[in-house]
Amino acid sequence: YIIIAGEPGIGKTALASQLVKTHGWVHHFNIAAQNICSTRQFLNNICSQLIIRYKLDYSYLPEEAGLNSSFLSQLLAEAVAKKPQESVYIMVDALDEAKSERLAPRANHLYMPPSLPDGIFIIVTTREKVEYRLVVDRSRNIFIGDDDPENLADIEAYILKFIEEQSSMAQRIVDWQVTEKDFVAILVDKSQGNFMYLVHVLRDI
């Protein structure tokens, strides 16, 4: 398991989306606003994708597929066995938005397997400091800090790209009576490393 944590608006979903788009990984995006956040939705979605992607010998999902992680664990083992030279990657976005109700006591969030076969990597994004249960035997935690120099460099690059692509921004900067360099520096500072701030403020400017 690779757990990517960060504050809301830091870019976790954008990162997850880009990784899926670039590599074509099996994926599940929890979206509370659209009520896509149940354990059954997650298990049925991932199991279906694994069957199709790795051409596993199933024509339908058994009823128990969405009840616990047994069928998922079975499919993961079969996927690795089908292509032993390739690693299997699964992206799960916004674990913090998944419902925790009706889970068995001591069960992992979304009934994620506590142990994965060699060659299986599950990448999970979640908000920082949100309580969820994910007790696994092997994991690595990556924290995206809002004041991390690399994050601030990405913030600056995002602003510059927006200025380049939006012709009206040149006049807005003139209206502010600042140089482009100063304009960028001001927004980097005011954003506090949060991309969602920029999404709304740049559009309004």
Side-chain angles (χ1 to χ4, degrees), residues 96-128:
D96 53 281
E97 295 190 27
K99 294 178 180 177
S100 58
E101 59 193 36
R102 298 182 180 177
L103 288 178
R106 302 175 66 182
N108 278 333
H109 224 45
L110 296 179
Y111 283 147
M112 288 191 178
S115 180
L116 300 175
D118 289 340
I120 300 288
F121 295 87
I122 297 182
I123 300 90
V124 176
T125 71
T126 183
R127 293 187 182 188
E128 183 193 15

Side-chain angles (χ1 to χ4, degrees), residues 184-195:
V184 172
I186 290 168
L187 284 187
V188 169
D189 179 62
K190 288 184 177 296
S191 74
Q192 298 182 338
N194 192 289
F195 282 91

Side-chain angles (χ1 to χ4, degrees), residues 27-94:
H27 57 279
H28 182 79
F29 285 71
N30 293 290
I31 310 172
Q34 298 180 28
N35 199 32
I36 303 173
C37 49
S38 75
T39 300
R40 181 182 289 273
Q41 288 170 323
F42 163 74
L43 291 171
N44 286 341
N45 182 20
I46 295 299
C47 288
S48 297
Q49 288 185 60
L50 287 170
I51 290 171
I52 294 170
R53 172 70 57 81
Y54 296 98
K55 297 180 172 57
L56 304 180
D57 192 21
Y58 300 92
S59 57
Y60 64 93
L61 287 180
E63 178 63 28
E64 64 270 18
L67 300 179
N68 55 59
S69 65
S70 296
F71 188 62
L72 172 59
S73 296
Q74 179 180 327
L75 294 182
L76 291 174
E78 291 181 18
V80 170
K82 199 78 177 284
K83 295 188 176 182
Q85 305 305 318
E86 297 181 15
S87 295
V88 176
Y89 295 91
I90 298 173
M91 172 61 73
V92 183
D93 184 53

Side-chain angles (χ1 to χ4, degrees), residues 83-178:
K83 295 188 176 182
Q85 305 305 318
E86 297 181 15
S87 295
V88 176
Y89 295 91
I90 298 173
M91 172 61 73
V92 183
D93 184 53
L95 182 62
D96 53 281
E97 295 190 27
K99 294 178 180 177
S100 58
E101 59 193 36
R102 298 182 180 177
L103 288 178
R106 302 175 66 182
N108 278 333
H109 224 45
L110 296 179
Y111 283 147
M112 288 191 178
S115 180
L116 300 175
D118 289 340
I120 300 288
F121 295 87
I122 297 182
I123 300 90
V124 176
T125 71
T126 183
R127 293 187 182 188
E128 183 193 15
K129 299 179 181 177
V130 172
E131 290 189 11
Y132 59 86
R133 184 176 180 83
L134 189 59
V135 180
V136 298
D137 59 356
R138 291 178 296 174
S139 66
R140 177 185 174 188
N141 294 288
I142 299 174
F143 175 68
I144 304 177
D146 51 11
D147 59 351
D148 185 284
E150 292 186 26
N151 185 58
L152 294 178
D154 287 342
I155 289 282
E156 180 176 336
Y158 182 90
I159 297 168
L160 288 169
K161 183 176 177 63
F162 190 92
I163 293 172
E164 178 185 341
E165 293 180 346
Q166 302 295 326
S167 58
S168 60
M169 287 299 292
Q171 184 58 49
R172 298 286 75 77
I173 293 172
V174 170
D175 294 342
W176 276 37
Q177 298 181 342
V178 295

